[in-house]
Every structure is written in structure tokens, then in C-alpha cells.
Amino acid sequence: MDDVTFQRLSESQVRRVSIPRTGTFIDIKSAIASALGEDKHNIDIVDKNSLLVEGSRDISDLPRPLSVVVHNSNRTPPPRLRTDEKDIVFPCETDPRCLMPCGHAITPDNLYRHCWTKLTDRATSFHCFADQSGRGEVCGAVWTFQDVIDKACVSVDEQILFESRINRNCLYCSDDIRQCPNCHVNCERQSTSNPRVVCTFCRRACQSQGQSQGHDKGQGQYEFCWFCMKPWEDMHSCTTDTVLRVLKSCKKKKIYGVSGCPSLRACPKCHALIEHSIHCKLMTCFWCKCEFCFICLNVKGPNGFSCGAYDTVCTVAPVQDLGTPGQSRVKNDSSQSCILS
């Protein structure tokens, strides 16, 4: 038998259960549920990033004690919160509904599922998704955290889980943090001038995905591309689909008094991704040596830049469309940066 330690999110007490040496994930959940006097379907194990651990995942790398959330098995709202308004998810719903501040109604179960789904999609706030007109005009009203906690009838553990996930999501909004696709731990970008990220937290890299991709670094490291999140390789390439997504979703910034400039551009000649950090608007592509203006995308001609000097105000060019997806690729060399400041 093996001992496994665990701890509820809302408690400081660390408990211990015994499972067979060949015990499965379900065996662990069942043992923990029994120790807590709960049904195994009413508990979940949570990882470092406040995400529920699925049964197919290897939990050998999870820290001990295991973090456990006990769900509310009865989401029946008190009479004071109930309404006769129709549920915005299933209008024919007969279970008790709660009235949200915007005037739309939803059952606690539907509210909980919707909000948790949004949190796993990295949301940091909650909004009403009711279709007000039947033509896709979403309400969009803000639901406060307390509204959700009260009307979703969450347990103490669930509230802590929500708070932790919101805090994590706020971190994800940072330009310099990504979740490692191998170990799922938050990674800080080592350099804004290099898309190659080294996850120093990985302990499974050499035994799992990293080794299968030829990334046995001998030190348990896992390397991935900041943009496409794929394993890093020498002469790594992101597909045009990825580049288009990155260009469309990048943040806007002000460059020498010109607002609304995309912080990422693709080289007008070879489509290598270039990120503006500081300094002037004039860029030189590492790969093809093309010189162009980061703001208006005009390429340097025989008489210099038509848009003026490095600090001259010019018109912001729209987000680039690189043509038919799949026709071009963006190259990244493991020893050199493909994005310049």
C-alpha cells in the first residue's frame, strides 16, 4: 500500500489515505472521498494552476499534499433569491432560478458551469450572455464576484477555487507569462527579443513529450515557442495560421506619439515576426535584412524612408493579412532572435 496526503482548499489540516501501489486516479479519488465522507463524484483534485485534474492525467508530478475541492451537492437557492423568470440557458427549465442584477434569470447549476467554463478560458470577470432580442444581441452586463458566489450557491472550497483561478488568469494577461504546454506551470518569458522559452519547472520533459520530440536536454528542460506553443526545434517554424492569429490578437501601443500601433508586425518581405519593444519605428529584419517602418509598413527605398526619420509621425497601417494560410511560414532560429526591439 502507498500513502497519499491531501488537503481541502478550505482547511489547513493535511490528511492521509492508503491506496494500492497500482492504484488508479479513481482509486485515489475514492479513498479521499471516503475519508471526507463525500461521494467521489462530489470532489475534484486541483493542480498548481487551479485547474481540475482529469482522470487521464498522470498525477505523479502533482505536489503533495494533493489539493482537493469539495463541491456543493445541493445548489438549491434560498427563496429570497428565486424568480419566475425563464432561465437564459434552457427557457423550459423548471428548477429554481436566481435573478441576476441585469434582470435575467439562471439556475445555480447553469450559472456555476458557465462561470467555471469562462474561468478555464482565462476570463477575469463574468458577464451576462443572455440573448436580449433573439438576434444575437448579448446583454453583456457585469456580474460581480459576489453575485456569482451567492447565486451559484458555491461551497467554501469552490469560492477559494474561483478566487485562485481569477488570480491566475490575471497573471495570464501579462505579456510575459504563458502556461507551459508540457507541465502546465506558468512560465515567465526570458527575453522579449526571443520566442524560445525554456521551462525550468518541467520534470517530465525527458520521459514524455520532450524526449519524443527529440528534446532530451539532460536537465529536465522543456522548450517551446512563445507564439504557437509547439515544442522548440532548431530552425523552428510557425505556420501562417499562427502568425495571423498572433498579429490579430496582439496588443496596441504608442510609438513616438502615434497611438494604436500593433505591438507585433510581420516583415513585409519574409513574414518573420517582429515585436516592437522600445527605440524608434524603423526596423531591420534579422532574416532578410529588409528595412521598414513599424508604424506604416513602408519599406526603405533607394532614397531612404518615404515616411520620414525614426521619430516622424506617420499613419498606422492596418493589421497585416499575409494571404492564403499555409503559403508562408515564420522562421525562428534557436540561436538567434526572429523578433527585434
Side-chain angles (χ1 to χ4, degrees), residues 47 49 51 57 122 172 177-188 197-205 209 220-226 229-230:
D47 66 13
N49 293 305
L51 289 174
R57 179 174 166 186
R122 301 188 178 183
Y172 292 144
I177 293 178
R178 290 280 193 276
Q179 187 180 98
C180 171
N182 190 53
C183 71
H184 308 290
V185 173
N186 292 336
C187 289
E188 186 174 5
V197 181
V198 178
C199 176
T200 56
F201 296 97
C202 279
R203 290 176 291 178
R204 297 184 291 122
Q209 187 176 0
Q221 291 185 172
Y222 181 76
E223 301 175 4
F224 62 95
C225 175
W226 184 256
M229 303 297 287
K230 300 295 183 182

Side-chain angles (χ1 to χ4, degrees), residues 20-85:
R21 289 188 180 276
T22 57
T24 64
F25 178 78
I26 297 301
D27 292 330
I28 294 175
K29 279 191 67 173
S30 298
I32 292 175
S34 178
L36 293 173
E38 297 283 346
D39 186 286
K40 66 180 180 182
H41 300 295
N42 201 44
I43 72 166
D44 274 303
I45 296 173
V46 183
D47 66 13
K48 298 175 184 178
N49 293 305
S50 303
L51 289 174
L52 306 185
V53 177
E54 302 294 336
S56 59
R57 179 174 166 186
D58 178 12
I59 65 171
S60 61
D61 66 322
L62 292 180
R64 301 300 193 265
L66 296 174
S67 297
V68 174
V69 54
V70 177
H71 298 287
N72 188 354
S73 59
N74 181 17
R75 297 192 195 277
T76 303
R80 62 182 176 81
L81 296 179
R82 300 183 191 182
T83 180
D84 292 330
E85 295 293 324

Side-chain angles (χ1 to χ4, degrees), residues 98-289:
C98 292
L99 192 66
M100 302 306 287
C102 56
H104 293 109
I106 188 170
T107 67
D109 277 328
N110 289 337
L111 177 59
Y112 182 90
R113 282 192 290 267
H114 168 74
C115 291
W116 179 247
T117 298
K118 298 304 291 184
L119 288 179
T120 56
D121 287 339
R122 301 188 178 183
T124 56
S125 58
F126 307 109
H127 300 265
C128 180
F129 57 98
D131 186 348
Q132 300 190 103
S133 62
R135 298 189 300 272
E137 296 178 6
V138 177
C139 171
V142 176
W143 292 339
T144 68
F145 182 75
Q146 197 59 50
D147 287 332
V148 171
I149 295 304
D150 291 341
K151 296 173 183 179
C153 302
V154 303
S155 68
V156 178
D157 285 349
E158 289 171 336
Q159 178 172 341
I160 295 172
L161 178 64
F162 272 41
E163 291 172 342
S164 178
R165 189 61 204 171
I166 289 173
N167 289 336
R168 293 278 182 179
N169 290 349
C170 288
L171 284 176
Y172 292 144
C173 292
S174 169
D175 289 337
D176 297 319
I177 293 178
R178 290 280 193 276
Q179 187 180 98
C180 171
N182 190 53
C183 71
H184 308 290
V185 173
N186 292 336
C187 289
E188 186 174 5
R189 191 177 185 183
Q190 284 89 21
S191 171
T192 58
S193 62
N194 197 328
R196 170 175 167 262
V197 181
V198 178
C199 176
T200 56
F201 296 97
C202 279
R203 290 176 291 178
R204 297 184 291 122
C206 295
Q207 292 79 36
S208 57
Q209 187 176 0
Q211 192 176 55
S212 67
Q213 295 290 339
H215 297 289
D216 188 350
K217 302 297 179 182
Q219 299 178 341
Q221 291 185 172
Y222 181 76
E223 301 175 4
F224 62 95
C225 175
W226 184 256
F227 298 117
C228 68
M229 303 297 287
K230 300 295 183 182
W232 187 268
E233 300 174 345
D234 290 346
M235 299 300 290
H236 173 80
S237 295
C238 300
T239 64
T240 301
D241 288 337
T242 297
V243 177
L244 288 172
R245 174 178 54 79
V246 170
L247 291 174
K248 291 178 180 179
S249 63
C250 73
K251 293 184 177 181
K252 301 296 192 294
K253 63 182 300 184
K254 180 183 288 188
I255 301 176
Y256 270 107
V258 180
S259 301
C261 301
S263 57
L264 279 161
R265 292 292 200 183
C267 170
K269 183 177 180 181
C270 72
H271 293 176
L273 278 175
I274 298 174
E275 182 173 16
H276 190 280
S277 178
I278 54 176
H279 309 311
C280 70
K281 67 178 186 177
L282 306 180
M283 295 286 169
T284 300
C285 176
F286 169 82
W287 287 98
C288 67
K289 308 305 178 184

